[in-house]
Amino acid sequence: MTSLTGKERPYRFEVSASAAEVCKRFSGLEPGEESGASVSVAGRIMLSRPQGRYVFIQLKDSGGSIQLFGVEGVAKDLKELGRLSLGDWVGATGEVVRTRRGELSVKVTTWVLLAESRHGLGDKWKGVSDVELRYRRRELDLWVNDESRARLVARSAMISHLRRWLEGRGFIEVETPILHPVAGGASARPFVTHHNSLDADLYLRIAPELYLKRLVIGGFERVFEIGRVFRNEGISPRHNPEFTMLELYQAYADYRDLMVLCEQLVSDLAREITGSTRLVYGDRVLDVTPPWRRATMFELISEHTGVDVSVEMPLSELRRLASGLGVPVQDGWGPGKAVLEIYEKTTEANLWDPVLVCDYPKEVSPLAREHRSAAALAERFEAVLAGRELANAFSELADPDEQRARFESQMALRAHGDEEAMELDEDYLRALEDGLPPTAGMGIGIDRLAMLLLNAQSIREVIAFPTLRPAGGSFRGPASAGLAGVSGDDREIFEQ
C-alpha cells in the first residue's frame, strides 16, 4: 500500500469529466476503437486486476464507474498503479478507448494517488449486509451498496421538490431556534443542555411549533420549516432520537383544509419521486391517490375491535373495555387518554391504506382547538399510512386564556410524573394575547415519508448517520434505557 504524508497529499486535482459523462459521450466507440480525446477522471478504486503488462481498475465516482486501462510503456509507474489498494482515491488522465473486449476505458498516461484507504475496502465489503457494520461505517457502505446511495440521493430530491411545492403555494421557508428555554410544542421528553454564559439550562427543540405560530401572529400567513427536532426517547425501526420534521402553518384555514393539502402533498411527491401514486411498501401495494378516507378514531376502533368507545363514557367502563382488549390504563389518565391508548394498541398498526384519523380527544391535544360540535374533542387529525403515523395536524388553539388552562393541566400531569407533558410558555401566551387569526398547522415526519416513498423498512436506511449504541459497549445507565417506549417487536430487533 502506498502511503501519503504531509505535502505529498495533493491539494487539488482537475477533473474534466465524470464517469457518467465519459460513458455517455463515448458510448458509440466500437471494440478496439480509440477516440483521440483525453479526459481526467477521479474516484475510488473498487476493483484492481494487474495482469503482467496490463492493469485493469474499476474506478467509481459519485455518479458511476469507468475502467482505467493501464498499459506498460504508456502508463506512468504501472507497477505502482497495480499495487494500489481497494478504496484508494485516484486521479487519472488518458485517452478514452474501448478495449478489444468491449470495455469503455480511460487508457492511463498519468495518474496520482489522491488519498489512501488505510483500512481498505477488502473482500468483507463485497455485498455486505451486516446492518451494524453498514451504519457504523456509513461512508464505506455508500460506496459498496448502490441502494444506500440511491436512497439518500432520492431523499434529497424529495426534500427539494417539497420546498418547491410549498413555495408554489405561497409558503415562506423560515428558521426558528433549536435551543429553547422551554420544552414545548409537542408531548415528548427533551434533551437538556447548559449555556455557560447565561448559566441557564436549555432544551434541544422537540418541535418548532410555538415559534412558527408566533411568526403567523407577526404577519407571516403561510410559513414552513424543515429542520431537525430532538426527542429523548427510544430507538426502533420507526424512531430515531433526532429526526427531520416539516412543520407548516396556514392562516385563515382549519384542519379540513390541511386534510386536502396533506393528501395532495404526499401524492404529488410520490408521483415525482417514484413516477406513480401506487407505491409498493414491503410486499404490499399502498395507493396514495387522493382522496383519502376520513374516519374518526372511534369509528376505526369499532371496526377493528368490535368495541364501541367514547370519551363520554365513565372512566370505569373504559377501563373495563380496555382490559378486555389487553390494554392497561394507568392511574391518572382521563377518558381521552384511555381512548387514545386503546386506539394506538389495537387499531393504528392495522390501518394500511391512507386514512385521515379525525377528531382526537381534547385531553391529549393541548395545542388544538376545541371541536366546533363536540366539546370533549379537538379539531385534529393524523394521517396514517401502512400502519404508522405520518402527519399530525389541527386547527390551532388561539384563545390565550384557554391555552393557559391547557398548559396548567399539562403542568399538573408533569407534577405527577409525566415527563412528556408540556411546560407553560409565558412568551407564547403573551404572543397569543396579540392575536392569532384562525390558523391550521401540520407536522410531517420527513424520514417516515422517505421510508414510504423509497420502500425502506427501517428509518435508519433513510438517515445518513442514525443514532447507534457506542461501538463495543452500551450507553451508561440501565441496559434498557435506550429502548424506553419501544414495542416488543422493535425491542427484539434492537437487542440483537
Side-chain angles (χ1 to χ4, degrees), residues 273-341:
I273 301 303
T274 73
S276 174
T277 55
R278 284 178 57 84
L279 309 175
V280 174
Y281 190 69
D283 57 358
R284 295 180 63 180
V285 172
L286 178 65
D287 191 341
V288 298
T289 307
W292 297 353
R293 182 188 178 193
R294 278 84 162 146
T296 69
M297 178 183 296
F298 313 99
E299 292 170 339
L300 294 167
I301 291 172
S302 179
E303 289 176 12
H304 286 270
T305 68
V307 174
D308 294 324
V309 298
S310 166
V311 289
E312 281 82 25
M313 280 183 173
L315 185 56
S316 58
E317 177 67 7
L318 281 172
R319 284 180 178 275
R320 185 188 67 78
L321 293 174
S323 177
L325 295 169
V327 178
V329 175
Q330 296 182 15
D331 293 338
W333 289 0
K337 176 63 173 173
V339 168
L340 178 64
E341 196 73 8

Side-chain angles (χ1 to χ4, degrees), residues 376-435:
L377 303 180
E379 293 201 345
R380 172 184 171 189
F381 75 85
E382 287 190 358
V384 177
L385 296 84
R388 63 195 60 178
E389 173 204 342
L390 176 67
N392 183 27
F394 36 84
S395 303
E396 300 295 337
L397 177 57
D399 183 333
D401 299 325
E402 174 64 16
Q403 185 63 79
R404 180 177 293 276
R406 301 269 194 99
F407 278 153
E408 289 172 349
S409 295
Q410 288 286 299
M411 292 294 286
L413 293 174
R414 195 173 188 83
H416 284 86
D418 186 348
E419 294 181 337
E420 295 188 353
M422 295 184 190
E423 298 183 39
L424 191 148
D425 189 328
E426 288 287 359
D427 287 339
Y428 177 64
L429 291 172
R430 189 177 302 111
L432 278 185
E433 290 172 353
D434 291 324

Side-chain angles (χ1 to χ4, degrees), residues 68 96 120 144 175 196 264 267 296 300 308 328 360-361 374 412 421 452 455 479 488:
L68 301 184
V96 180
V144 300
E175 294 178 317
N196 291 332
Q264 288 179 342
S267 61
T296 69
L300 294 167
D308 294 324
Y360 275 57
L452 287 173
N455 194 15

Side-chain angles (χ1 to χ4, degrees), residues 36-181:
S38 179
V39 297
S40 293
V41 294
R44 275 193 190 270
I45 296 176
M46 304 304 292
L47 180 67
S48 179
R49 294 182 292 120
Q51 294 182 2
R53 298 176 54 243
Y54 304 103
V55 173
F56 300 92
I57 289 175
Q58 180 193 10
L59 189 76
K60 187 174 183 180
D61 62 17
S62 62
S65 61
I66 188 72
Q67 178 171 273
L68 301 184
F69 177 34
V71 181
E72 189 176 59
V74 177
K76 180 195 77 169
D77 300 330
L78 182 69
K79 289 185 178 179
E80 287 299 315
L81 179 63
R83 293 193 185 105
L84 295 180
S85 300
L86 300 187
D88 284 348
W89 292 77
V90 173
T93 299
E95 182 184 6
V96 180
V97 301
R98 193 176 291 278
T99 65
R100 286 195 294 268
R101 292 190 175 183
E103 188 72 29
L104 191 66
S105 309
V106 174
K107 189 176 181 181
V108 178
T109 54
T110 61
W111 61 273
V112 60
L113 178 62
L114 301 175
E116 77 273 21
S117 176
R118 293 188 176 182
H119 302 289
L121 295 180
D123 290 341
K124 70 179 181 180
W125 281 97
K126 292 181 180 178
V128 65
S129 59
D130 185 314
V131 293
E132 185 77 8
L133 181 61
R134 286 179 49 224
Y135 296 142
R136 291 195 187 281
R137 302 290 306 280
R138 185 64 121 174
E139 62 278 6
L140 299 185
D141 173 44
L142 294 172
W143 281 106
V144 300
N145 287 311
D146 290 338
E147 187 176 16
S148 295
R149 175 185 293 270
R151 278 179 171 154
L152 293 188
V153 170
R155 175 193 171 109
S156 176
M158 182 190 83
I159 294 174
S160 178
H161 183 72
L162 176 59
R163 281 193 167 96
R164 295 195 304 270
W165 194 93
L166 289 170
E167 289 167 353
R169 286 156 179 79
F171 286 86
I172 296 174
E173 184 171 12
V174 296
E175 294 178 317
T176 61
I178 289 177
L179 294 175
H180 288 190

